[in-house]
């Protein structure tokens, strides 16, 4: 199975390192169209100029409800949503700016994902071979004290991901959770650890998705978390 073959994709955070790697791999996977979105329209436009028949750049601030509503109402052909936009402010909870940092990380990494997913859901329900791919982190499943506000936002999105999977299966919409470790990107430039390249990471993600793996651990560090008991949520009615 190739989920991406001839698909129309909405990719958030396309102007970041992982986002750009996603563009290259999705083109290799023979997608029909990618809406590449982010905040840096100059970078997005430059990326699109090399594949103008496939890549369509838009500013999309995932914390801006009006941006989300306008975009989703204007684009009815999307069948794959990749929630890739993210921010990491490198803060623990005992920090005078912890509230400010936690609020921004929650708005981008969690609330933006919830909002965009729900606004796009009517479109996904109408289109064939629909899927939602949430780029999470091993930080969704553990506490990294120096990144604890970030961990909280990713854990919230992990719960969201696991919660909606069963519900959306009723509509034929697949929900994938991606749990990478450290990636050799600007976000992790201060980390002295073996890191996977963005291109290898994204190749592994797409390969596992095409194998119908709903929880994806795409690098050696993340594989250590593949049997985490936090992947299985307890449901209370």
């Amino acid at each position: 199975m190739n989920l991406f073959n001839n698909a129309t994709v909405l990719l958030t955070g396309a102007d970041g390192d992982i986002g750009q790697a996603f563009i290259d791999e999705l083109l290799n996977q023979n997608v029909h169209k990618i809406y590449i979105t982010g905040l840096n329209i100059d970078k997005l436009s430059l990326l699109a100029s090399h594949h103008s028949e496939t890549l369509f750049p838009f500013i999309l601030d995932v914390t801006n409800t009006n941006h989300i509503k306008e975009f989703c109402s204007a684009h009815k052909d999307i069948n794959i949503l990749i929630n890739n936009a993210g921010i990491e402010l490198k803060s623990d909870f005992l920090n005078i700016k912890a509230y400010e940092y936690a609020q921004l990380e929650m708005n981008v990494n969690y609330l933006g994902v919830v909002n965009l997913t729900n606004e796009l859901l009517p479109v996904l329900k109408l289109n064939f071979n629909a899927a939602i791919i949430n780029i999470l982190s091993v930080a969704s499943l553990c506490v990294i004290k120096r990144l604890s506000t970030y961990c909280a936002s990713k854990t919230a999105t992990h719960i969201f991901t696991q919660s909606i999977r069963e519900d959306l299966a009723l509509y034929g919409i697949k929900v994938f959770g991606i749990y990478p470790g450290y990636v050799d990107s600007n976000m992790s430039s201060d980390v002295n650890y073996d890191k996977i390249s963005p291109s290898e990471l994204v190749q592994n993600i797409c390969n596992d998705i095409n194998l119908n793996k709903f929880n994806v651990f795409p690098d050696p560090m993340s594989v250590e978390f593949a049997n985490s008991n936090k992947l299985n949520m307890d449901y209370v009615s």
Side-chain angles (χ1 to χ4, degrees), residues 110 113-114 117-118 134 156-165:
Y110 170 51
V113 172
V114 173
T117 299
N118 279 288
N134 290 337
T157 312
H158 160 64
I159 293 172
F160 171 72
T161 302
Q162 300 294 324
S163 175
I164 66 173
R165 180 176 290 151

Side-chain angles (χ1 to χ4, degrees), residues 50-65:
H50 302 296
H51 298 276
S52 58
E53 73 286 353
T54 306
L55 304 182
F56 299 85
F58 289 89
I59 292 179
L60 181 59
D61 180 353
V62 298
T63 70
N64 187 314
T65 297

Side-chain angles (χ1 to χ4, degrees), residues 158-217:
H158 160 64
I159 293 172
F160 171 72
T161 302
Q162 300 294 324
S163 175
I164 66 173
R165 180 176 290 151
E166 183 177 343
D167 295 333
L168 292 185
L170 299 174
Y171 299 95
I173 301 173
K174 296 179 177 180
V175 178
F176 298 90
I178 316 300
Y179 299 86
Y182 289 122
V183 182
D184 191 10
S185 65
N186 287 332
M187 187 179 287
S188 299
S189 60
D190 62 325
V191 177
N192 184 19
Y193 196 93
D194 287 338
K195 294 178 279 190
I196 191 170
S197 70
S199 60
E200 186 179 0
L201 174 86
V202 171
Q203 288 173 16
N204 291 345
I205 290 170
C206 291
N207 288 340
D208 276 2
I209 285 173
N210 285 331
L211 293 172
N212 230 27
K213 295 182 180 180
F214 290 100
N215 297 314
V216 176
F217 297 86

Side-chain angles (χ1 to χ4, degrees), residues 3-224:
L3 181 74
F4 305 101
N5 184 50
N6 207 37
T8 297
V9 179
L10 168 55
L11 173 66
T12 68
D15 46 358
D17 294 330
I18 295 175
Q20 292 175 66
F22 256 119
I23 292 170
D24 292 338
E25 182 59 24
L26 291 171
L27 291 172
N28 289 336
Q29 295 276 339
N30 199 35
V31 295
H32 171 65
K33 180 189 295 186
I34 314 172
Y35 295 111
I36 55 172
T37 70
L39 300 179
N40 189 334
I41 192 61
D42 291 335
K43 181 181 285 188
L44 294 170
S45 297
L46 180 61
L47 292 168
S49 67
H50 302 296
H51 298 276
S52 58
E53 73 286 353
T54 306
L55 304 182
F56 299 85
F58 289 89
I59 292 179
L60 181 59
D61 180 353
V62 298
T63 70
N64 187 314
T65 297
N66 289 333
H67 273 199
I68 289 173
K69 285 183 179 294
E70 290 170 6
F71 184 90
C72 293
S73 65
H75 300 92
K76 304 295 187 181
D77 55 348
I78 297 164
N79 68 296
I80 296 179
L81 167 61
I82 304 179
N83 283 307
N84 172 67
I87 187 170
E88 179 195 285
L89 296 177
K90 305 184 188 305
S91 175
D92 58 25
F93 284 116
L94 300 180
N95 181 324
I96 193 64
K97 291 192 172 182
Y99 172 80
E100 176 187 340
Y101 290 166
Q103 185 177 49
L104 182 53
E105 287 170 329
M106 278 289 183
N107 285 339
V108 175
N109 299 343
Y110 170 51
L111 295 174
V113 172
V114 173
N115 194 7
L116 179 55
T117 299
N118 279 288
E119 286 290 342
L120 194 63
L121 201 51
V123 171
L124 296 177
K125 286 180 178 179
L126 290 175
N127 291 330
F128 176 72
N129 212 24
I132 297 165
I133 301 168
N134 290 337
I135 308 303
L136 303 167
S137 167
V138 296
S140 307
L141 306 172
C142 65
V143 174
I144 304 170
K145 287 191 175 182
R146 61 188 175 81
L147 305 177
S148 51
T149 59
Y150 172 78
C151 292
S153 68
K154 287 297 187 178
T155 299
T157 312
H158 160 64
I159 293 172
F160 171 72
T161 302
Q162 300 294 324
S163 175
I164 66 173
R165 180 176 290 151
E166 183 177 343
D167 295 333
L168 292 185
L170 299 174
Y171 299 95
I173 301 173
K174 296 179 177 180
V175 178
F176 298 90
I178 316 300
Y179 299 86
Y182 289 122
V183 182
D184 191 10
S185 65
N186 287 332
M187 187 179 287
S188 299
S189 60
D190 62 325
V191 177
N192 184 19
Y193 196 93
D194 287 338
K195 294 178 279 190
I196 191 170
S197 70
S199 60
E200 186 179 0
L201 174 86
V202 171
Q203 288 173 16
N204 291 345
I205 290 170
C206 291
N207 288 340
D208 276 2
I209 285 173
N210 285 331
L211 293 172
N212 230 27
K213 295 182 180 180
F214 290 100
N215 297 314
V216 176
F217 297 86
D219 59 276
M221 178 184 178
S222 68
V223 168
E224 298 177 16

